[in-house]
């Protein structure tokens, strides 16, 4: 077995719009952490797989396709055996919406592909091992039942009206140890589910995965690549409503990156890298999903929201008001259009006893937990925002009844999550059946 890893700096020029908080102007003024595209290429027998992770909020289908095609052109790896995903940082590159951003995207796409091309060129004899840890102090379900019977997303720290969280978290920390033939560390793959939305402001940052990488490099050397796969975190973030951490003392991204980085290192050091040959396989399936028809009360909310904000100038809107106005306008525009549909790719890659499940969009944690529970593989990584899905939430059916922020979108029909889980489990069982 041969493995290569590489990381390429993709930090955009200053002045670009940082996405993640709706339409409010937020142009980059500095760099907290450089942004990267990172890649791992693994070869065993006749099979080769490539994994690319980009420090970016989301990626559209055309960009993902161009990245995969460039990797194929330079390495021969079939595009369907290349997985492209996002860390979902909210302080990363712009969306391709204006002239400056459109000029940057060819460079972003080429460098992201180049990470895999460089990793392919750096392949060397390697060994791997998988392990799991547990960390439940940095992730929180952000949807809460309130004492008045309603439900709110992020109701505020120490809000006395909070009753209880709506759902679970996924505390599992999955780790893949990658060593060279002499047992020296080449890289560490990790997977955890919590939103990369801990920074804010107008400086580029890779959020807490950047500090995971910093911890890994401090412990094992600057050449060791930390590849982070974002788990199913659509309804999971870092806000502890009990107020047990003051970010003014230690910023969230630092604290979380250090805690997770140390847990990852602990698991890595307890895991033996004794597999020098593994069975590699990959498969994908496209699932057709329609857009969501709005409910009557959602249309009424849009009309009332726009009426309430009609006399407020755009430059005087708060961040929340700007997001609500944009959401209301999008809702009213959507009801004037016929419901569209799109095919979304569900991809599964197997590396011996490990499966990586690439899912579209921002997936509620319940779906990730279901896939893990039913997976035939001992280790299953959930890798959301993969293969050009764009952004948007895939919610549980119950969430649409209860409300909150996440179900406000219209991109995914209410049955989307079940369809994605079903396709993922079919692929997992299909690949597992081939190799066992």
């Amino acid at each position: 077995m041969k493995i290569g890893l590489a990381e390429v700096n993709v930090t955009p020029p200053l002045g670009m719009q940082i996405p993640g908080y709706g339409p409010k102007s937020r142009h980059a003024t500095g760099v907290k952490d450089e942004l990267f595209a990172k890649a791992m290429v693994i070869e065993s027998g006749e099979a080769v797989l490539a994994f690319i992770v980009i420090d970016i909020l989301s990626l559209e289908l055309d960009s993902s396709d161009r990245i995969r095609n460039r990797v194929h052109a330079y390495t021969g790896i079939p595009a369907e055996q290349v997985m492209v995903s996002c860390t979902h940082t909210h302080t990363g590159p712009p969306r391709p919406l204006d002239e400056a951003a459109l000029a940057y995207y060819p460079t972003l796409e080429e460098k992201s592909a180049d990470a895999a091309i460089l990793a392919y060129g750096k392949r060397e004899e390697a060994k791997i091992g998988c392990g799991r840890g547990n960390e439940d102090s940095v992730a929180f379900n952000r949807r809460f039942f309130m004492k008045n019977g309603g439900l709110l997303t992020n109701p505020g720290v120490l809000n006395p009206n909070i009753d209880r969280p709506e759902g679970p978290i996924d505390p599992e920390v999955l780790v893949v140890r990658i060593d060279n033939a002499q047992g020296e560390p080449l890289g560490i793959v990790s997977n955890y589910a919590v939103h990369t939305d801990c920074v804010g402001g107008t400086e580029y940052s890779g959020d807490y995965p950047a500090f995971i990488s910093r911890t890994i490099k401090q412990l094992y050397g600057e050449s060791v690549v930390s590849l982070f796969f974002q788990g199913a975190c659509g309804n999971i973030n870092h806000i502890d409503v009990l107020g047990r951490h003051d970010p003014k003392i230690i910023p969230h991204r630092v604290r979380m990156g250090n805690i997770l980085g140390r847990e990852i290192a602990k698991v890595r050091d307890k895991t033996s890298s004794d597999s020098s040959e593994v069975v590699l396989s990959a498969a994908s399936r496209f699932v057709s999903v329609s857009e969501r028809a709005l409910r009557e009360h959602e249309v009424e909310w849009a009309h009332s929201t726009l009426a309430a904000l009609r006399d407020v100038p755009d430059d005087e809107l708060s961040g929340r008001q700007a997001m609500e106005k944009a959401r209301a306008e999008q809702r009213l525009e959507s009801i004037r259009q016929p419901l569209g549909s799109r095919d979304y790719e569900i991809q599964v890659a197997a590396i011996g006893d490990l499966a990586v499940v690439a899912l579209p969009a921002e997936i509620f944690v319940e779906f990730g937990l279901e896939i893990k529970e039913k997976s035939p593989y001992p280790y299953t990584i959930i890798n959301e925002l993969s293969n050009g899905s764009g952004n948007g939430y895939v919610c549980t059916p119950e969430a649409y009844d209860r409300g909150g922020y996440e179900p406000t979108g219209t991109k995914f029909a209410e049955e989307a999550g079940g369809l994605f889980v079903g396709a993922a489990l079919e692929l997992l069982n299909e690949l597992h059946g081939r190799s066992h």
Side-chain angles (χ1 to χ4, degrees):
M1 174 172 59
K2 293 183 177 180
I3 298 178
L5 298 106
E7 47 191 356
V8 175
N9 193 318
V10 296
T11 308
L14 300 182
M16 291 192 171
Q17 170 73 6
I18 298 177
Y21 299 112
K24 201 72 173 175
S25 178
R26 194 162 68 113
H27 296 282
T29 60
V31 179
K32 269 189 170 71
D33 318 297
E34 301 286 354
L35 305 174
F36 289 92
K38 302 182 181 183
M40 174 177 70
V41 171
I42 179 168
E43 176 182 11
S44 187
E46 299 296 315
V48 186
L49 302 177
F51 302 85
I52 302 169
V53 181
I54 309 167
D55 285 333
I56 195 169
L57 185 76
S58 61
L59 199 68
E60 298 302 326
L61 180 60
D62 56 350
S63 289
S64 179
D65 286 345
R66 284 191 286 268
I67 290 168
R68 291 168 117 177
N69 291 336
R70 180 175 171 87
V71 172
H72 172 66
Y74 279 80
T75 67
I77 302 173
E80 61 269 20
Q81 291 171 209
V82 179
M83 185 181 293
V84 182
S85 59
C86 310
T87 63
H88 194 50
T89 177
H90 283 55
T91 39
R95 289 199 176 106
L97 299 177
D98 58 40
E99 186 175 345
L102 288 169
Y104 161 74
Y105 261 73
T107 299
L108 171 72
E109 293 160 4
E110 289 168 0
K111 287 188 172 185
S112 298
D114 288 353
I117 296 165
L118 290 169
Y120 182 82
K122 294 172 70 174
R123 285 168 299 150
E124 61 179 288
E125 293 295 332
K127 302 180 291 183
I128 69 169
C130 295
R132 57 169 50 90
N134 185 281
E135 179 51 59
D136 62 3
S137 71
V138 298
F140 305 89
N141 197 296
R142 68 186 193 179
R143 292 168 53 82
F144 288 85
F145 292 114
M146 307 302 287
K147 291 177 181 177
N148 64 3
L151 185 139
L152 287 178
T153 300
N154 289 334
V157 175
L158 300 177
N159 185 332
N161 297 313
I162 291 172
D163 181 10
R164 67 192 188 279
E166 178 193 41
I169 67 166
D170 181 358
E172 185 176 60
V173 182
L174 276 176
V175 177
V176 183
R177 173 176 178 165
I178 305 165
D179 296 340
N180 65 15
Q182 292 73 44
E184 300 163 337
L186 291 176
I188 300 176
V189 174
S190 59
N191 175 227
Y192 190 71
V194 63
H195 250 80
T196 31
D197 184 15
C198 310
V199 181
T202 59
E203 294 181 304
Y204 293 128
S205 171
D207 213 286
Y208 68 84
F211 270 79
I212 291 176
S213 178
R214 193 169 299 187
T215 300
I216 296 301
K217 289 179 181 295
Q218 286 172 348
L219 290 171
Y220 302 108
E222 284 296 316
S223 65
V224 176
V225 176
S226 170
L227 200 71
F228 177 79
F229 290 127
Q230 181 60 268
C233 69
N235 50 346
I236 307 296
N237 70 8
H238 64 285
I239 298 173
D240 178 5
V241 297
L242 298 180
R244 289 170 290 193
H245 170 67
D246 185 354
K248 299 185 190 69
I249 299 173
I250 303 176
H252 286 299
R253 83 187 198 285
V254 177
R255 172 177 171 269
M256 294 170 66
N258 287 341
I259 289 173
L260 288 169
R262 288 194 295 267
E263 179 67 11
I264 290 163
K266 183 176 77 172
V267 174
R268 183 259 178 206
D269 291 345
K270 290 181 177 180
T271 300
S272 61
S273 58
D274 52 8
S275 297
S276 56
E277 288 296 333
V278 294
V279 176
L280 300 180
S281 56
S284 63
R285 182 169 302 169
F286 288 88
V287 177
S288 182
V289 174
S290 73
E291 295 173 349
R292 186 172 73 89
L294 289 173
R295 300 180 180 191
E296 185 176 342
H297 72 85
E298 293 177 306
V299 177
E300 292 173 355
W301 174 88
H303 282 297
S304 63
T305 297
L306 291 179
L309 297 175
R310 182 178 297 121
D311 297 327
V312 182
D314 286 348
D315 58 358
E316 294 181 14
L317 292 171
S318 68
R320 178 179 288 273
Q321 286 174 326
M323 290 182 70
E324 288 185 345
K325 181 178 180 181
R327 203 153 58 239
E329 289 172 341
Q330 289 165 2
R331 281 189 181 184
L332 296 184
E333 178 61 28
S334 72
I335 63 175
R336 301 185 188 102
Q337 308 295 331
L339 288 179
S341 64
R342 192 191 129 178
D343 292 340
Y344 292 93
E345 182 179 2
I346 309 299
Q347 183 188 29
V348 173
I351 306 169
D353 287 338
L354 168 71
V356 183
V357 179
L359 298 174
E362 299 175 63
I363 302 286
F364 267 37
V365 70
E366 288 88 345
F367 297 123
L369 290 169
E370 182 180 357
I371 292 171
K372 287 184 174 186
E373 179 186 356
K374 297 177 180 178
S375 171
Y377 286 85
Y379 302 94
T380 302
I381 284 174
I382 305 299
N383 188 21
E384 71 167 27
L385 284 161
S386 291
N387 298 329
S389 65
N391 64 333
Y393 292 95
V394 178
C395 309
T396 60
E398 297 80 8
Y400 292 103
D401 295 326
R402 295 168 180 163
Y405 167 70
E406 295 85 0
T408 58
T410 59
K411 184 181 289 187
F412 297 97
E414 295 181 16
E415 66 270 18
L419 294 172
F420 293 157
V421 169
L425 291 173
E426 288 177 8
L427 290 169
L428 284 165
N429 287 308
E430 176 186 319
L431 288 188
H432 193 261
R434 283 189 211 165
S435 57
H436 291 76

